[in-house]
Amino acid sequence: MEFVNVIVDISHEKVDRVFQYRIPERLKNSLKVGMQVEIPFGRGNRLTRGYAVGFAQEPDYPPEKIKELFGIVEGSVRAESQLIALAAWMKERYGSTMNHALKTVLPVKQKTRQKQKKKLVRCISLSEGAHLLEHYKSKNFRAKARLLEALLEEEVLDCQKAAGQLKLSAAVIRGLEADGILRVESEQLYRNPFAGHFEKKEQKTVLNEEQRLAVEGIWTDYEKGVRKTYLLHGVTGSGKTEVYMELIARVIGERKQAVVLIPEIALTFQTVRRFHERFGDRVSVMHSRLSEGERYDQFLRAKDGDIDVIIGPRSALFAPFSRIGMIILDEEHESSYKSETVPRYHAREAAVFRGNLCGASVVLGSATPSVESYQHAAEGTYGLYRLTRRVREAVLPLVHIVDLRTELKEGNRSIFSRKLKDAMQKRLQQGQQMMLFLNRRGLSGFVSCRSCGKAIRCPHCDVTLSLHEGGSLKCHYCGYETDMPQVCPVCGSRYISGFRAGTQQIEREVKKLFPRARVLRMDYDTTRTKESYEQILSAFGRREADVLVGTQMIVKGHDFPGVTLVGVLAADLSLHASDYRASERTFQLLTQAVGRAGRGDQAGEAVIQTYVPDHYSIQTAARQDYEAFFHQEMIYRRLLKYPPAAFLLGIYLSGPKDEVLTDCAERMGEMLRGFSTKGLVVIGPAAAALSRKQDQYRKVIYLKHEEEAVLLQVKKKLEEELEKDTVWTKIYIQFDYNPLNAF
Ligand code: ADP
Ligand code: ZN
Ligand code: ZN
């Protein structure tokens, strides 16, 4: 490469200013993205430092105007360099501009003022002071006398406190400072949001056999210099967090740092406390409720090497640590690890990349691992460790699967099966708690038959069709469209419809059936703020209600020992979501939901209501049998070439003018087919799941290929083609690599 692009200031506003330099021959082999470089800058050609963010073969400016790079700054790889290299990788893999990628990985440099603690330090001897005090008193300089008196008692005073208690004006303090009697010292204070809240606990947990095997296995590799990704598959409560903490303690012992990623929703006070109890003030937390100032402080603390462990949601991966030894992703299957804005990166993939960059091991933990990660483990690219037992031996709950088709046949049209109704009654009589759970998520709108349980599916993509206004059924992947049938195409029943019950309706029904039951509801409407979310959960935890009705939010995080019954009202809701991950998501939700029953001393019971009782997601979740689920699911993925059996790239097109967008989408589809790449499947263009949003029309094209490298090449070739024609600037194009949600 002939030219290098350099950013000079990594503060937020300026990353989009990229300066181009010619690379001298002697540096061509050693220069890499992320490196700190020296460049002649500005009119005076002052030697300035910057970072290399990319290369170019052709200059973007007249060549005579381009200066030559001066040199590479030698020395340790700084945190910024790692992050810039990470940004460059994200740009390539997920498709975005370098500017977008940089803004994702580099922190907001806020102009918020640091909270400063000022100290007043006496500069004269006691005897000098005593002498001067007499003088002040004789002159009636009362304020000065008060301050000096205090300084004679204590050599160092807290400025703010002294000013308040002694009623001093700033002029008085400045006066004594000017006379050389005291000096004002300021100390940068980091706003630690948890400072002083926790005691460090000295007592350590003794790990059980399975935990020990995991820790020793991973640590033996680490000490041998092997850096890998590991999957820790362990049911909730099996002690995964203890494993993480032991590994982190060892990493810190090697003078390295650790990053712990947790889905935002699971980032509770309890979690944070456990880490603080173990690691004290060397832990820092990042989450969305921190103020900008607090967040930037955490960034500075991390950069200054003031902390060893950072905990936070996916963005904590961009902590400016330069000595990371271990990266942990708890609940690695959670969809919140995927960014839904450009660059649409997945924190798991980014963690593995960053781990490689800085020589860190990566540990992924989950009770229900993503099919992707388990496939890696099955192939041996990830190490696999299992924790099969809960630490506090609780029996697994008794699970009933209720066939709603039979309920209908026998005349029960209520949303509660007889089994569930009886169980609820019994629990209420015994004063025990229950959770009723509606696994509604994202876009639903599928149509299914209440007699045979079948949902209407796309003949090309084997995902359910979704019902659109005007009564047509559409496929979100390929755009296949058909009219809503009058009777079930499989069994001819007239009972076909979308499922419309919501949490509010369930709450109403519970109150109607059991007027004395105390009911709490938790869904999107009742939890607009993070506080209301915590409030509902803690009220339920204090047993202020008998029944908690909610969406999937209620199955995550908290433990409720009083809950002995979990009812899943319509397992089909997530099963028939119109994307290829529907079965996986259902398995995860049901497994978690079932696991909620019987955390205390009493045995638990779970009732799963469904129209498709034989479906493998439901059967395997009821048995808590991950392996069996995984094998079935992989058959489906292989058959239809969905990830991880193949790789999928979503291309999302949007724009204000329907005709322009349609035209561009058609052209792009033709162009991609015209590449004639062997094995490439081009699906669409089709209307997006949300075909219009905020006055923007939206279309999608999906690409599939069995080889990741080929798919990335196709993306690159497409990006190059898009550069050549201005027609593409009329629309907005985003890439989504292995998408989780429909666009
Ligand atoms: P997970 O992260 O898998 O949900 P945790 O690490 O939170 O599991 O463990 C569940 C509970 O069991 C916690 O209260 C934890 O302190 C406790 N625990 C974990 N491991 C042990 C152990 N070896 N001995 C005693 N208690 C343990
Ligand atoms: Zn039917
Ligand atoms: Zn289709």
Side-chain angles (χ1 to χ4, degrees):
M1 285 295 168
E2 296 296 314
F3 302 95
V4 58
N5 296 328
V6 174
I7 51 169
V8 174
D9 187 345
I10 61 162
S11 77
H12 216 220
E13 310 84 60
K14 295 239 182 83
V15 286
D16 29 355
R17 279 292 280 150
V18 172
F19 301 90
Q20 205 163 52
Y21 288 85
R22 188 187 311 280
I23 310 173
E25 209 54 50
R26 68 193 153 88
L27 295 178
K28 273 188 182 156
N29 285 325
S30 43
L31 188 62
K32 304 221 162 42
V33 165
M35 280 183 169
Q36 211 183 1
V37 292
E38 282 185 311
I39 45 170
F41 189 72
R43 255 193 250 149
N45 280 337
R46 206 160 31 85
L47 215 51
T48 304
R49 291 189 171 186
Y51 290 94
V53 295
F55 297 104
Q57 194 57 41
E58 301 295 327
D60 294 342
Y61 308 92
E64 66 277 9
K65 288 198 173 160
I66 299 183
K67 298 173 203 167
E68 190 166 272
L69 182 75
F70 183 77
I72 297 171
V73 180
E74 300 293 339
S76 66
V77 183
R78 298 166 47 124
E80 280 91 346
S81 299
Q82 285 184 20
L83 292 174
I84 289 165
L86 184 61
W89 172 80
M90 279 168 50
K91 164 187 179 289
E92 287 296 317
R93 183 178 180 92
Y94 299 105
S96 84
T97 62
M98 189 61 188
N99 186 23
H100 261 124
L102 284 171
K103 284 184 174 173
T104 306
V105 303
L106 295 173
V108 192
K109 195 178 249 173
Q110 279 291 320
K111 298 214 172 64
T112 43
R113 262 216 276 146
Q114 304 295 317
K115 196 165 148 193
Q116 285 192 341
K117 196 165 180 174
K118 283 202 186 114
K119 287 177 178 169
L120 305 179
V121 184
R122 169 161 53 85
C123 303
I124 53 175
S125 71
L126 281 175
S127 61
E128 278 175 304
H131 198 73
L132 190 61
L133 186 62
E134 287 305 308
H135 172 68
Y136 284 169
K137 281 183 172 162
S138 66
K139 293 270 181 183
N140 228 359
F141 294 156
R142 283 201 214 126
K144 283 187 177 180
R146 283 200 301 275
L147 175 54
L148 185 55
E149 218 166 354
L151 277 172
L152 291 176
E153 272 166 32
E154 259 177 287
E155 197 178 331
V156 181
L157 295 176
D158 180 310
C159 179
Q160 217 180 348
K161 241 198 224 147
Q165 281 168 358
L166 305 172
K167 299 195 179 60
L168 304 171
S169 66
V172 172
I173 297 173
R174 255 182 267 123
L176 264 66
E177 188 187 18
D179 292 344
I181 296 159
L182 61 79
R183 65 171 189 272
V184 182
E185 281 188 358
S186 61
E187 166 190 19
Q188 188 105 318
L189 261 199
Y190 296 115
R191 283 159 288 200
N192 181 355
F194 283 95
H197 280 326
F198 302 104
E199 292 285 311
K200 197 169 166 177
K201 207 159 70 178
E202 289 308 330
Q203 199 189 358
K204 253 177 48 183
T205 312
V206 181
L207 299 184
N208 64 30
E209 188 59 19
E210 286 184 327
Q211 288 171 318
R212 228 178 38 76
L213 278 174
V215 169
E216 295 305 336
I218 295 170
W219 195 250
T220 308
D221 279 355
Y222 192 96
E223 289 200 307
K224 279 194 291 201
V226 177
R227 297 294 183 273
K228 262 174 74 163
T229 302
Y230 304 89
L231 177 62
L232 185 61
H233 179 199
V235 295
T236 319
S238 60
K240 294 187 292 298
T241 310
E242 294 293 331
V243 171
Y244 306 150
M245 291 200 294
E246 179 59 29
L247 287 169
I248 292 169
R250 295 184 184 197
V251 163
I252 293 176
E254 303 274 310
R255 305 223 357 90
K256 295 278 188 169
Q257 298 158 314
V259 173
V260 182
L261 304 186
I262 287 179
E264 177 87 39
I265 202 157
L267 189 62
T268 57
F269 195 70
Q270 286 93 317
T271 322
V272 173
R273 176 160 62 200
R274 284 176 70 184
F275 279 87
H276 269 279
E277 282 173 350
R278 179 83 179 251
F279 303 108
D281 273 348
R282 308 287 299 172
V283 178
S284 181
V285 185
M286 276 197 193
H287 55 75
S288 58
R289 280 161 292 156
L290 291 182
S291 69
E292 289 291 352
E294 282 173 333
R295 226 184 288 196
Y296 191 64
D297 287 349
Q298 299 309 307
F299 175 82
L300 286 184
R301 285 185 71 199
K303 200 158 128 61
D304 291 354
D306 225 23
I307 45 183
D308 302 319
V309 186
I310 195 144
I311 308 178
R314 64 167 190 259
S315 58
L317 182 63
F318 310 126
F321 279 168
S322 47
R323 295 177 281 117
I324 303 182
M326 191 152 302
I327 304 174
I328 286 164
L329 260 90
D330 191 31
E331 314 269 1
E332 65 87 28
H333 63 279
E334 279 287 330
S335 60
S336 63
Y337 282 126
K338 176 93 192 302
S339 167
E340 291 298 336
T341 54
V342 174
R344 294 170 177 260
Y345 70 95
H346 197 298
R348 188 198 310 127
E349 294 168 343
V352 172
F353 184 83
R354 186 154 195 209
N356 271 331
L357 213 59
C358 60
S361 294
V362 178
V363 177
L364 313 173
S366 175
T368 50
S370 62
V371 173
E372 276 85 353
S373 294
Y374 207 80
Q375 174 70 1
H376 277 299
E379 287 170 348
T381 30
Y382 291 178
L384 177 65
Y385 291 96
R386 287 199 178 86
L387 305 180
T388 53
R389 278 183 300 275
R390 284 190 187 162
V391 173
R392 303 209 176 82
E393 280 301 342
V395 254
L396 281 180
L398 184 63
V399 185
H400 313 277
I401 298 174
V402 174
D403 187 343
L404 288 173
R405 295 170 303 184
T406 318
E407 294 292 311
L408 182 72
K409 228 182 272 167
E410 296 177 5
N412 176 17
R413 290 188 170 212
S414 141
I415 51 178
F416 301 116
S417 62
R418 290 158 297 177
K419 182 99 204 163
L420 182 56
K421 206 177 347 181
D422 290 348
M424 287 169 70
Q425 183 141 33
K426 202 169 95 200
R427 302 295 166 182
L428 285 171
Q429 276 163 1
Q430 293 172 348
Q432 295 169 2
Q433 289 179 297
M434 69 193 78
M435 288 163 106
L436 298 179
F437 164 52
L438 198 66
N439 42 329
R440 148 162 275 163
R441 184 182 182 282
L443 304 141
S444 54
F446 66 89
V447 169
S448 67
C449 170
R450 295 184 70 184
S451 301
C452 75
K454 294 283 185 312
I456 301 177
R457 301 176 85 85
C458 173
H460 310 296
C461 308
D462 201 26
V463 297
T464 52
L465 298 175
S466 59
L467 185 58
H468 282 246
E469 280 167 47
S472 65
L473 292 169
K474 283 186 196 167
C475 171
H476 288 165
Y477 288 137
C478 73
Y480 170 84
E481 193 172 335
T482 180
D483 285 338
M484 166 89 178
Q486 299 299 309
V487 295
C488 170
V490 180
C491 74
S493 160
R494 284 181 300 115
Y495 291 110
I496 59 167
S497 65
F499 188 99
R500 275 187 219 93
T503 41
Q504 253 170 320
Q505 191 191 343
I506 293 164
E507 182 186 21
R508 230 180 295 130
E509 293 289 321
V510 176
K511 285 180 172 159
K512 211 156 76 191
L513 269 177
F514 306 106
R516 310 240 307 248
R518 297 165 304 163
V519 187
L520 275 173
R521 175 166 62 92
M522 187 152 129
D523 54 21
Y524 182 70
D525 286 336
T526 60
T527 54
R528 290 290 166 82
T529 65
K530 183 86 190 179
E531 287 76 49
S532 52
Y533 171 82
E534 295 284 342
Q535 271 162 15
I536 294 173
L537 289 176
S538 52
F540 190 61
R542 290 191 304 267
R543 292 181 167 238
E544 285 169 22
D546 308 301
V547 186
L548 177 61
V549 177
T551 56
Q552 53 272 5
M553 322 177 164
I554 66 175
V555 298
K556 288 177 187 160
H558 294 237
D559 246 346
F560 302 108
V563 172
T564 54
L565 172 67
V566 169
V568 179
L569 291 158
D572 312 30
L573 276 184
S574 56
L575 196 57
H576 294 328
S578 53
D579 70 284
Y580 73 92
R581 288 176 195 265
S583 301
E584 180 178 8
R585 206 176 293 124
T586 302
F587 175 81
Q588 288 164 352
L589 289 172
L590 293 182
T591 309
Q592 285 169 355
V594 166
R596 290 279 124 191
R599 285 290 174 86
D601 324 323
Q602 276 126 347
E605 192 179 9
V607 178
I608 300 174
Q609 304 191 147
T610 172
Y611 290 99
V612 279
D614 297 328
H615 194 283
Y616 64 92
S617 290
I618 294 175
Q619 289 286 336
T620 53
R623 297 198 306 270
Q624 309 251 319
D625 185 349
Y626 181 86
E627 286 274 324
F629 163 75
F630 174 77
H631 289 296
Q632 278 295 322
E633 182 66 14
M634 278 308 291
I635 292 171
Y636 164 72
R637 305 268 176 116
R638 277 196 206 100
L639 208 63
L640 287 133
K641 293 198 171 46
Y642 285 122
F647 298 87
L648 189 64
L649 181 69
I651 306 171
Y652 303 155
L653 314 169
S654 53
K657 291 214 182 80
D658 201 9
E659 318 81 72
V660 176
L661 181 69
T662 306
D663 183 50
C664 283
E666 293 296 339
R667 278 176 70 166
M668 188 181 288
E670 273 161 37
M671 184 155 69
L672 287 162
R673 290 186 177 93
F675 287 176
S676 308
T677 312
K678 195 159 165 271
L680 181 73
V681 183
V682 182
I683 306 162
L690 262 175
S691 58
R692 195 173 166 195
K693 188 178 171 190
Q694 290 164 344
D695 288 324
Q696 298 283 309
Y697 292 89
R698 293 144 65 96
K699 294 217 179 270
V700 295
I701 295 175
Y702 287 98
L703 304 180
K704 264 193 223 176
H705 201 282
E706 283 184 50
E707 277 174 59
E708 183 170 31
V710 176
L711 197 56
L712 290 174
Q713 270 163 24
V714 170
K715 176 173 81 58
K716 196 155 182 187
K717 195 161 157 193
L718 176 65
E719 283 173 314
E720 281 163 14
E721 290 298 321
L722 299 182
E723 289 278 310
K724 290 182 191 160
D725 194 338
T726 51
V727 68
W728 303 108
T729 58
K730 292 182 191 163
I731 60 168
Y732 184 54
I733 302 167
Q734 302 174 58
F735 292 101
D736 195 355
Y737 187 73
N738 286 347
L740 290 189
N741 294 314
F743 178 62

